[in-house]
Amino acid sequence: MVQELLVALVAVLSGGLLYAMAAARVVKQYERGVVLRLGRLHDAVRPPGFTMIVPGVDRLRKVNMQIVTMPVPAQDGITRDNVTVRVDAVIYFKVVDPASAVIQVEDYRFAVSQMAQTSLRSIIGKSDLDDLLSDREKLNQGLELMIDSPAVGWGVQIDRVEIKDVSLPETMKRSMARQAEADRERRARVINADAELQASKKLAQAAQQMSTQPAALQLRLLQTVVAVAAEKNSTLVLPFPVELLRFLERAQQGPHPQQSAAAEQSEDALGQPDSGRPEDVSPMDPPTPDPPLVDPPDTARTFLDQPLPDEPLAREPDGVTESGPVLPEPDPERRPDRLGSTSSARH
């Protein structure tokens, strides 16, 4: 009898142990337990720690309450300014209501992922390329609101959404590079022009100050010469006034005294016309030497340009008629010479 009691006690203890092992559950700190009893949601959500359920009646589902980092696959889209881009993002979310995450949606992770992809494509179509590249904070906020609106009913809270990368076509990259280069060049030219303007104002003030003291310009010139002479491989060129060179040239090429006197005598002789009377010239007088030939002035050039005879003028012994001396006819084949090239002309 005692033996049968012992066997029954061992059997009860074994069954209780097996029941306890089947009913015992452990919920971790970052998890919450949702119990479904006979397919219906139990009111209480099991906290972290040791808990018991009814084996075969209750079913415990553990929900992770940690923040989940989920990458959003890259999405191809066309922006509002007709530029084809490829954008990928990352989303941070967590479960705030374990019962809704189990009851309201089949798989909340897959639902959030699909919602993030569709919202990302919608944001790409509503935005410009410049906004995608420079104003990402505003786009992130808009994308977060678009995903968070349906996720609230799933017991999921969207913490943050970040656009990670924007891939552009190669042609667009080259165009943007040229645009950036042109903008940099424009800014450089503006800065250079501003510097030139400031330098010109300072130079004008310096020139006005130096104009009161002429010696300051010479001192500045000497300073420049000293600065240039410091370089051994440079050639020093000193400025020289052109007016001074012209003055020296005129002083070196001044008129000869004898030539000046002969030119004055020639002008006097041309100013008084010859009367042509034979009494003024004696046939026995020795011939006077010819004066040095000089270029006549412009007033007598027309008179002197006429051809002169090769032989002396013919004189009549008894007198000369009122018509004057008779000149021989010029040779038409002989080219008239200037007065400077005729050595037998006499006045």
Side-chain angles (χ1 to χ4, degrees):
M1 184 69 183
V2 176
Q3 186 177 2
E4 293 178 354
L5 291 175
L6 291 175
V7 171
L9 181 60
V10 170
V12 171
L13 293 176
S14 300
L17 183 60
L18 292 175
Y19 178 81
M21 294 179 60
R25 295 289 186 272
V26 176
V27 180
K28 298 179 181 179
Q29 182 65 36
Y30 54 86
E31 294 176 342
R32 298 293 183 270
V34 178
V35 178
L36 297 176
R37 181 167 293 175
L38 297 176
R40 297 181 63 180
L41 177 64
H42 198 271
D43 295 337
V45 176
R46 302 299 172 89
F50 180 80
T51 185
M52 297 290 291
I53 62 174
V54 178
V57 178
D58 295 342
R59 184 178 179 184
L60 180 65
R61 291 191 60 178
K62 299 177 182 180
V63 180
N64 194 339
M65 304 295 291
Q66 292 177 320
I67 295 178
V68 180
T69 303
M70 178 181 294
V72 181
Q75 302 297 315
D76 294 331
I78 300 176
T79 60
R80 190 167 58 181
D81 50 355
N82 298 326
V83 178
T84 303
V85 295
R86 186 179 180 88
V87 182
D88 57 352
V90 59
I91 182 172
Y92 302 90
F93 67 94
K94 65 180 179 179
V95 177
V96 294
D97 188 359
S100 297
V102 174
I103 302 302
Q104 299 297 331
V105 63
E106 180 182 2
D107 187 354
Y108 66 90
R109 288 175 177 266
F110 181 75
V112 171
S113 176
Q114 295 299 316
M115 191 64 192
Q117 295 180 28
T118 56
S119 300
L120 183 58
R121 284 195 296 268
S122 179
I123 284 292
I124 292 173
K126 294 179 181 179
S127 305
D128 295 332
L129 179 61
D130 294 338
D131 296 336
L132 288 175
L133 297 177
S134 60
D135 197 6
R136 292 189 180 182
E137 188 66 26
K138 182 179 179 180
L139 297 179
N140 293 337
Q141 294 177 0
L143 189 59
E144 180 180 349
L145 291 176
M146 294 179 66
I147 302 175
D148 190 54
S149 298
V152 172
W154 304 336
V156 178
Q157 179 183 354
I158 306 299
D159 285 347
R160 190 173 184 83
V161 179
E162 292 285 345
I163 295 177
K164 185 167 58 175
D165 188 20
V166 178
S167 300
L168 299 175
E170 294 297 330
T171 55
M172 182 57 64
K173 290 182 180 179
R174 290 194 293 267
S175 300
M176 294 177 64
R178 289 195 299 268
Q179 179 183 0
E181 184 179 357
D183 183 67
R184 290 288 181 179
E185 185 177 358
R186 178 185 63 83
R187 292 169 57 184
R189 290 185 178 180
V190 170
I191 294 174
N192 190 16
D194 190 12
E196 291 291 340
L197 177 60
Q198 296 179 7
S200 63
K201 291 181 180 180
K202 295 299 181 181
L203 288 176
Q205 295 177 3
Q208 184 178 3
Q209 186 67 24
M210 287 183 180
S211 62
T212 58
Q213 297 293 335
L217 184 60
Q218 298 295 332
L219 293 177
R220 182 57 182 167
L221 178 60
L222 293 176
Q223 291 178 359
T224 305
V225 170
V226 171
V228 174
E231 299 292 337
K232 297 182 180 180
N233 57 350
S234 61
T235 302
L236 183 61
V237 179
L238 294 176
F240 200 78
V242 181
E243 290 76 6
L244 183 58
L245 293 177
R246 293 178 179 175
F247 174 75
L248 296 176
E249 183 179 0
R250 287 196 299 268
Q252 185 178 3
Q253 297 180 358
H256 196 272
Q258 297 180 359
Q259 294 181 358
S260 301
E264 293 178 358
Q265 293 179 3
S266 175
E267 291 178 359
D268 294 340
L270 293 174
Q272 299 179 0
D274 189 7
S275 60
R277 301 181 64 84
E279 293 84 4
D280 299 335
V281 180
S282 176
M284 300 302 295
D285 292 338
T288 58
D290 296 336
L293 301 178
V294 296
D295 292 338
D298 295 338
T299 55
R301 189 177 300 277
T302 56
F303 175 77
L304 297 176
D305 285 343
Q306 296 182 3
L308 299 178
D310 297 336
E311 297 179 359
L313 300 176
R315 297 181 176 86
E316 297 181 0
D318 295 337
V320 183
T321 61
E322 296 180 357
S323 61
V326 179
L327 299 177
E329 297 181 359
D331 190 0
E333 298 180 356
R334 181 181 179 85
R335 182 178 181 181
D337 299 331
R338 295 176 58 87
L339 179 62
S341 63
T342 306
S343 61
S344 61
R346 296 181 181 179
H347 300 281

